Amino acid sequence: DSGGMQATITEMTALGGQLKGTGSYRWDDNGAFSADVELQNLSTESLAPEYPAVLSGDLAVSGRVEPLSVSLDVRSMTGEALGQPVAASGRIEMADGGITADQFNILSGTSRVVLNGFPDEQNGLAFNADITDLGSFLPDSRGSISAAGSLYLRSGWPVLSLDASGTEVGWQDFSVSSLTVNGSNLNQAGTANAFDLSLVETRIGDTVLEQTNARLVLHADRQAFSIDARSGLNEINLELAGILEQPVDGSEEWSWSGSLDTLHALLNGKDQISLQQPAPIRVSAELARLDSACLLGSRGATICLQSGWAAEEGTEFEASIGQVPLDVLNEILGMDLRLTQMFSG
């Protein structure tokens, strides 16, 4: 057949195990492909050393290279991964930048993840996860997470509903004693709603934040983010808002324009720094820029800065400092010097 090829494998040794099945590829049909495979004791260690697994199962895969689409039907899959017994079943399809699932289940030890549905339908793509040991899914991680929600596309805008909680969650040198996330970016009235995040005892290396609260608004007409964090006698509050400009006329370019509206910091329980007026922000795939952010301190100090990054030019940063007590500068820089003078520059 000059338009494609077919193959039948009665039995073959590969990746430390055995497999058999059939497959086809059509170069005269935009790279359409299909395979029906049975595998036994295949090891992934040589392909993904960070995620060693030994798997056996029965599955079918099909799709096209152009435009790219893949459909995976896992009739049965069992084995061991990261030292935990694993199993999978169900069907999942990826096409047009979206995911469709039909009771797609992944089990690892006592943990389970389930996907079901279609993002374009009213009920959307539903997901449910009960992970008692995050390390059984993600190398170098730890802790437990429970999450449930759905994702669907409403007039082209992603609508997400999410409720999640976690205990002693960590990855490498980052950890948090407890976390909760809940909310939706669309309420029943069809107006913007918010996601709320709460973190208790967040550790990033040697830095510890006792309490962090954040709110994220994701709506087609407005996006906003705010955060309050506390570390010892130090506190910070930040708020920004803007609008995502969607690509038009087939263009892949996007941009987000808004402003940093609030920035307030308390240093060592005594010195305060506040943003004098909103500072413009613009972000896209090609650039990021913060303009004219001027901060006023409780002892008359002023700090004005602007910074930017562009794909071709790189990073630029400008700052002017006036009447900043050096003990405040010392606190910001984390030094341990005895200073009483003022600094300008």
Side-chain angles (χ1 to χ4, degrees), residues 23-105:
S24 67
Y25 181 83
R26 304 290 306 182
W27 47 77
D28 64 352
D29 189 14
N30 297 322
F33 60 89
S34 66
D36 201 312
V37 181
E38 292 181 27
L39 50 92
Q40 185 174 3
N41 297 326
L42 261 67
S43 172
T44 66
E45 189 167 6
S46 61
L47 300 176
E50 71 284 357
Y51 199 88
V54 177
L55 303 172
S56 299
D58 180 7
L59 58 90
V61 61
S62 61
R64 274 186 170 80
V65 174
E66 183 63 39
L68 181 62
S69 65
V70 179
S71 176
L72 175 64
D73 185 4
V74 181
R75 302 183 184 107
S76 68
M77 183 74 70
T78 58
E80 182 176 292
L82 295 175
Q84 296 281 344
V86 296
S89 63
R91 184 173 175 272
I92 190 166
E93 181 177 336
M94 291 166 281
D96 299 324
I99 297 177
T100 303
D102 182 8
Q103 294 297 335
F104 190 77
N105 290 260

Side-chain angles (χ1 to χ4, degrees), residues 2-200:
S2 61
M5 60 179 292
Q6 294 182 340
T8 299
I9 302 173
T10 54
E11 188 170 335
M12 182 175 72
T13 299
L15 300 175
Q18 291 79 42
L19 65 85
K20 62 181 180 179
T22 61
S24 67
Y25 181 83
R26 304 290 306 182
W27 47 77
D28 64 352
D29 189 14
N30 297 322
F33 60 89
S34 66
D36 201 312
V37 181
E38 292 181 27
L39 50 92
Q40 185 174 3
N41 297 326
L42 261 67
S43 172
T44 66
E45 189 167 6
S46 61
L47 300 176
E50 71 284 357
Y51 199 88
V54 177
L55 303 172
S56 299
D58 180 7
L59 58 90
V61 61
S62 61
R64 274 186 170 80
V65 174
E66 183 63 39
L68 181 62
S69 65
V70 179
S71 176
L72 175 64
D73 185 4
V74 181
R75 302 183 184 107
S76 68
M77 183 74 70
T78 58
E80 182 176 292
L82 295 175
Q84 296 281 344
V86 296
S89 63
R91 184 173 175 272
I92 190 166
E93 181 177 336
M94 291 166 281
D96 299 324
I99 297 177
T100 303
D102 182 8
Q103 294 297 335
F104 190 77
N105 290 260
I106 302 175
L107 292 88
S108 177
T110 57
S111 301
R112 182 177 185 180
V113 176
V114 181
L115 299 174
N116 188 55
F118 186 54
D120 286 341
E121 295 179 351
Q122 180 70 26
N123 294 329
L125 174 68
F127 56 87
N128 192 297
D130 187 6
I131 302 175
T132 56
D133 178 12
L134 194 58
S136 65
F137 279 86
L138 181 66
D140 300 324
S141 64
R142 55 199 177 275
S144 61
I145 291 179
S146 295
S150 63
L151 172 67
Y152 80 96
L153 301 178
R154 182 179 182 271
S155 301
W157 182 258
V159 176
L160 175 66
S161 175
L162 174 65
D163 286 289
S165 62
T167 304
E168 301 300 337
V169 176
W171 182 72
Q172 295 186 353
D173 63 350
F174 168 86
S175 67
V176 58
S177 292
S178 70
L179 68 87
T180 59
V181 185
N182 59 78
S184 171
N185 58 320
L186 192 74
N187 61 26
Q188 292 182 350
T191 57
N193 210 335
F195 296 93
D196 292 305
L197 168 69
S198 176
L199 304 176
V200 177

Side-chain angles (χ1 to χ4, degrees), residues 277-330:
Q277 61 185 21
I281 299 176
R282 185 171 180 83
V283 179
S284 73
E286 299 296 326
L287 63 88
R289 186 161 189 84
L290 170 67
D291 286 320
S292 304
C294 289
L295 306 172
L296 177 64
S298 55
R299 288 192 262 171
T302 60
I303 301 175
C304 291
L305 57 89
Q306 61 181 29
S307 62
W309 168 85
E312 296 182 359
E313 288 80 12
T315 303
E316 64 177 66
F317 180 84
E318 296 180 13
S320 61
I321 301 174
Q323 299 300 306
V324 178
L326 289 183
D327 61 330
V328 174
L329 192 63
N330 176 40

Side-chain angles (χ1 to χ4, degrees), residues 239-242 256-261 279-283 288-291:
E239 297 178 4
L240 56 86
W256 185 87
S257 299
S259 61
L260 175 62
D261 297 324
I281 299 176
R282 185 171 180 83
V283 179
R289 186 161 189 84
L290 170 67
D291 286 320

Side-chain angles (χ1 to χ4, degrees), residues 190-213:
T191 57
N193 210 335
F195 296 93
D196 292 305
L197 168 69
S198 176
L199 304 176
V200 177
E201 197 172 324
T202 303
R203 296 179 179 271
I204 307 173
D206 295 331
T207 302
V208 180
L209 302 175
E210 287 91 355
Q211 181 70 45
T212 304
N213 297 310

